[in-house]
Structures are given as structure tokens and as C-alpha cells.
Amino acid sequence: MLTGLKIAVIGGDARQLEVIRKLTELEAKLFLIGFDQLDHGFTGATKVKIEDVQFEKIDSIILPIPGTDKEGVVDTVFSNVEIKLTEELLKKTPEHCVIYSGISNDYLNDLVKNTSRKLIQLFERDDVAIYNSIPTVEGTIMMVIQHTDITIHGSKIAVLGLGRVGMSVARTFAALGANVLVGARDTSHLARITEMNLTPFHLDQIEDNVSEIDVCINTIPHMVVTSSVISNMPAHTLIVDLASKPGGTDFRYAEKRGIKALLAPGLPGIVAPKSAGQIVANVLTQLLEEVQKNRKGLSS
């Protein structure tokens, strides 16, 4: 149980509703910031404005999966009010206050460093990323079906990156009958691709391996699908970029060349917000219960 734990939930999308539901069931006291347009009510959760929260008493802050933008603004689907996480605000919190976010950026990293607060990035955890790859793959399949005029079976698909998402994407599209090529740099990843009975190629040779593909699925959060790569693709190629914003694709050049390129971060929150929210909620619960247990141990 999380009885007595005071948590500020700041912004987010439908995934946060599952987090709120789970934490209120465990008797945490929640302050919902950026949820003024939410019709649903939760026992133990109070909708408040950020200026009305006594952050001096807050034990944890839960941010949306993207965290903040580069200026500290938090995305709020259930509010039109701009909400910004500032250094001044964090300094009001107790020293033990922990901030939870899906991912981070330079702004958020600097913020917790300057205030000596702890930041936990949930999507850095293997368990969250692997669970989350399931709705990501399903959403990717949906997008490929919607935006191509061929079957996945028999198509030629290049997957860039063999991380936790890339592996799930490559394996699933191969199971659907696609001819899957996977690009990676790490020699162990290239060996794993071979073991999976897929076609490996080193990312240094990416331009040589996209000349006949129907779909390119990028999972690498760096510029890898450059103008020179895109210029080697057939005109009908669909690019689906799953990397976090701004992605790893030269979208301007793709548009100029007439190749459809879609940036699709946060697919789980779009195609399966309930399941994706439950993944986050379950891990958050474990982490918060550990915090609660440690605090009780220190006070006894």
C-alpha cells in the first residue's frame, strides 16, 4: 500500500489515467495538475492548479512519458493551460522527492542536477521497454497496412536498430511473412540478426541496402535516414520512424522527394493507451512501494 504518500501527477495522456487509477487504489494521495478537462473522478485524487500545490509536502512527481519539452513545458492532453516545470518549483520539494518520467532531455537533466533531486526514466528500464514494444509493434503494423497498397507478406522491410523495440519489430514482421533486413553497428547485434534468420547489414552500408525496400522502420534516435539514404529508396517506400522526437529521418527531404515518412513516437499511447498505461502503472507501483518501505525503515 502507498498510504500517506503524496504524489503530484503533472500532465500526460490517457496512459496516465491507468497510473492514477492504480495509485489511488493503493491509497496514495494524488494531486492532478493539468487535468481540469478530465470528466472522470478518482477517489483520493484532487484536480488542482500548479500554483495551489504545496510542493513542500510532495513525495514524488510523475511526469508524462515524454517528460518535458526543451523549455520545460509539460504536455497536457486534458488541459489547455500551459504547465511548466521549473527549478524554483522543484526546489520547494523535500530532498527525498523523486521525479518519474518516461524519457528525459537536457532541460530535465539540468533541472534535477541543479536541484539535487533524483530522476528515474522508466523507459530506460528493460522491463518497461520490452513490455512497451508490444503495443509499439501492433501500432507499426497498423500504420504499414494503412499507408501501403501491398501485403506485409512478401514485402521487403528494412528495420534500423536492434534494440528492444527493433528486435520485436523485426521478429514480428518476419513472422508475418515479410523479407526483413536489419541494420545495426554492434557486431553482437549483427550476429543476433543472423541467428534470427534475418538479413543483417552494417549501418555504414545502409545506402546499398534500401534500393529495393517497400518499408523502412527506424528505431534509432539519431539522424540515420539521411537525404542520401532516401534518394536511394524506391519512390513507393514508406518510412515509419519510431524514434523519439525529432526522429532519425530527414523528413523535409522525404517530402521533397515524394516519399511518405511518418514520425510515430508514443504509438502505445495512441493504439493501446489502457495496456500501455497499465505497464507504466505496474512498474511505478513497484518503485513507489520500495520508496515507501525504505522510508518506513528509516523512521523505525
Side-chain angles (χ1 to χ4, degrees):
M1 300 297 285
L2 301 174
T3 308
L5 209 62
K6 295 180 175 64
I7 302 171
V9 181
I10 306 179
D13 54 25
R15 286 174 286 187
Q16 296 296 73
L17 302 186
E18 295 302 315
V19 172
I20 295 167
R21 182 176 291 109
K22 180 83 170 179
L23 298 184
T24 52
E25 286 175 358
L26 294 171
E27 298 185 354
K29 175 64 176 175
L30 268 56
F31 299 91
L32 310 183
I33 303 165
F35 290 87
D36 46 276
Q37 295 177 356
L38 179 65
D39 293 331
H40 197 298
F42 295 94
T43 303
T46 307
K47 291 187 284 186
V48 292
K49 295 179 180 178
I50 194 166
E51 60 267 23
D52 295 332
V53 177
Q54 291 182 294
F55 280 95
E56 297 84 355
K57 299 180 179 179
I58 294 296
D59 299 301
S60 299
I61 294 175
I62 298 175
L63 298 174
I65 300 304
T68 71
D69 69 10
K70 294 179 181 179
E71 282 74 46
V73 176
V74 180
D75 187 37
T76 54
V77 170
F78 300 103
S79 176
N80 292 325
V81 179
E82 182 178 281
I83 296 172
K84 189 170 183 178
L85 190 65
T86 65
E87 187 173 319
E88 180 186 8
L89 185 150
L90 274 192
K91 282 182 176 178
K92 293 180 181 179
T93 61
E95 290 184 3
H96 67 260
C97 182
V98 180
I99 295 88
Y100 299 91
S101 176
I103 58 176
S104 188
N105 56 24
D106 290 340
Y107 178 91
L108 194 51
N109 290 337
D110 288 342
L111 198 63
V112 294
K113 182 180 179 181
N114 293 340
T115 56
S116 300
R117 297 298 181 265
K118 184 178 180 180
L119 171 67
I120 293 180
Q121 298 179 56
L122 299 176
F123 278 31
E124 288 294 309
R125 293 173 56 103
D126 282 336
D127 52 358
V128 175
I130 292 169
Y131 285 133
N132 213 51
S133 71
I134 299 168
T136 298
V137 170
E138 292 187 10
T140 306
I141 293 169
M142 177 191 74
M143 294 184 74
V144 171
I145 291 172
Q146 287 178 338
H147 295 282
T148 61
D149 55 5
I150 58 174
T151 59
I152 291 174
H153 189 281
S155 64
K156 194 166 186 178
I157 296 178
V159 178
L160 306 181
L162 195 76
R164 295 161 298 198
V165 173
M167 182 176 289
S168 297
V169 168
R171 181 188 295 117
T172 304
F173 275 90
L176 291 172
N179 300 306
V180 179
L181 302 82
V182 186
R185 293 191 189 280
D186 194 299
T187 54
S188 65
H189 287 180
L190 294 169
R192 178 61 66 189
I193 295 162
T194 302
E195 182 274 331
M196 293 169 67
N197 202 30
L198 306 178
T199 303
F201 66 89
H202 196 283
L203 284 173
D204 287 346
Q205 279 78 52
I206 184 172
E207 293 179 21
D208 300 328
N209 285 275
V210 298
S211 60
E212 297 179 355
I213 63 170
D214 301 300
V215 181
C216 176
I217 302 171
N218 177 52
T219 69
I220 302 170
H222 306 290
M223 182 58 68
V224 286
V225 189
T226 61
S227 58
S228 57
V229 172
I230 295 170
S231 65
N232 277 10
M233 293 178 178
H236 70 272
T237 302
L238 170 69
I239 300 171
V240 180
D241 199 321
L242 302 178
S244 55
K245 292 181 181 180
T249 300
D250 188 336
F251 291 97
R252 185 197 60 79
Y253 185 79
E255 183 179 10
K256 181 179 179 181
R257 179 138 187 263
I259 285 182
K260 185 173 289 186
L262 307 171
L263 179 60
L267 267 182
I270 298 170
V271 301
K274 187 178 181 68
S275 296
Q278 288 172 344
I279 292 167
V280 175
N282 289 338
V283 174
L284 266 173
T285 298
Q286 294 172 18
L287 294 171
L288 289 167
E289 285 178 338
E290 289 174 10
V291 170
Q292 184 83 320
K293 191 180 298 181
N294 291 337
R295 288 184 64 196
K296 286 181 177 178
L298 289 171
S299 61
S300 61

